Amino acid sequence: MNLANKITLARIFLVPVVMLFLLVRFNMGYVQVGSVTLTVSEIIATFIFILAAVTDGLDGYLARKNKMVTTLGKFLDPLADKLLITAALISLVEMQRLEAWIAIVIISREFAITGLRMIAVAEGVVIAASPLGKLKTITQIVAIVALMLNNVPFSSISFPFSEIVTWLAVIVTVISGLDYFYKNRKIVSMTHLQ
């Protein structure tokens, strides 16, 4: 259990904390930004989500820099990412800030790629994260933060930033998923032949 893995575990433990502050109606006060009212608990949840998202890059960097890459870390890191994103998306659907079909598309892509990676591992192949996959993660995080903050501060100038970045996240998510399957089609066809 090295430092990188401890950071990854901390990210997993932050997932229910984010959901708690988003979904439980704590009487901690409100912040009015133009015509939008945010609860203090929503703001806290957003900061915790950002903190958890930042640790994603940090644990990988530490593991590579200090040659601490472990099998446990390879398993926990993508699991932590998927738990964080999935929990946030489901919470946003519950808050009626995100349409359910968008959450389903994004979560389905994550399950599909996880399945592909499991097939690849069984064949002795490691599928590395692609630049499109990293862009997908960034757009998803930005979209989730924008939705958590209910489009603040862009709401004050009537600019639909959260809507635009959510659509961008969906498009990049689908394209990156198709890209993974296309680039690894030999693995899928090998499994089909067995």
Side-chain angles (χ1 to χ4, degrees):
M1 182 56 66
N2 57 43
L3 178 60
N5 289 346
K6 285 177 183 174
I7 292 170
T8 306
L9 272 178
R11 187 158 77 255
I12 292 171
F13 288 125
L14 286 175
V15 171
V17 180
V18 170
M19 292 185 76
L20 181 74
F21 278 101
L22 272 182
L23 299 177
V24 176
R25 292 286 166 239
F26 294 109
N27 191 15
M28 301 171 73
Y30 299 89
V31 176
Q32 189 75 30
V33 184
S35 61
V36 177
T37 304
L38 290 173
T39 65
V40 171
S41 58
E42 286 170 349
I43 295 168
I44 292 169
T46 305
F47 279 114
I48 295 169
F49 176 82
I50 292 168
L51 175 68
V54 167
T55 66
D56 179 26
L58 180 63
D59 58 8
Y61 170 76
L62 287 173
R64 287 186 299 274
K65 183 186 175 201
N66 300 318
K67 295 180 174 58
M68 297 187 299
V69 177
T70 62
T71 304
L72 179 65
K74 286 178 185 176
F75 168 75
L76 283 180
D77 187 55
L79 175 67
D81 299 343
K82 283 164 185 50
L83 284 172
L84 182 65
I85 296 294
T86 301
L89 292 171
I90 292 169
S91 299
L92 289 164
V93 170
E94 171 71 17
M95 296 167 72
Q96 298 184 339
R97 291 190 187 169
L98 181 69
E99 292 183 51
W101 74 266
I102 293 175
I104 291 165
V105 166
I106 293 173
I107 293 167
S108 298
R109 182 265 187 211
E110 299 306 329
F111 276 111
I113 298 305
T114 299
L116 177 64
R117 283 202 162 105
M118 289 171 74
I119 293 167
V121 167
E123 298 294 330
V125 179
V126 175
I127 299 176
S130 71
L132 262 177
K134 289 175 182 173
L135 178 63
K136 176 267 309 178
T137 302
I138 292 166
T139 57
Q140 286 178 1
I141 290 168
V142 173
I144 288 167
V145 169
L147 290 166
M148 282 181 177
L149 292 174
N150 209 5
N151 201 40
V152 169
F154 300 98
S155 54
S156 57
I157 56 168
S158 300
F159 180 68
F161 177 77
S162 61
E163 192 177 327
I164 292 166
V165 77
T166 299
W167 275 104
L168 180 64
V170 170
I171 292 164
V172 175
T173 296
V174 171
I175 291 171
S176 71
L178 294 171
D179 181 61
Y180 270 111
F181 274 96
Y182 179 74
K183 286 180 177 171
N184 297 286
R185 61 193 179 279
K186 288 180 183 173
I187 295 166
V188 178
S189 61
M190 279 172 22
T191 312
H192 179 69
L193 293 171
Q194 290 176 357

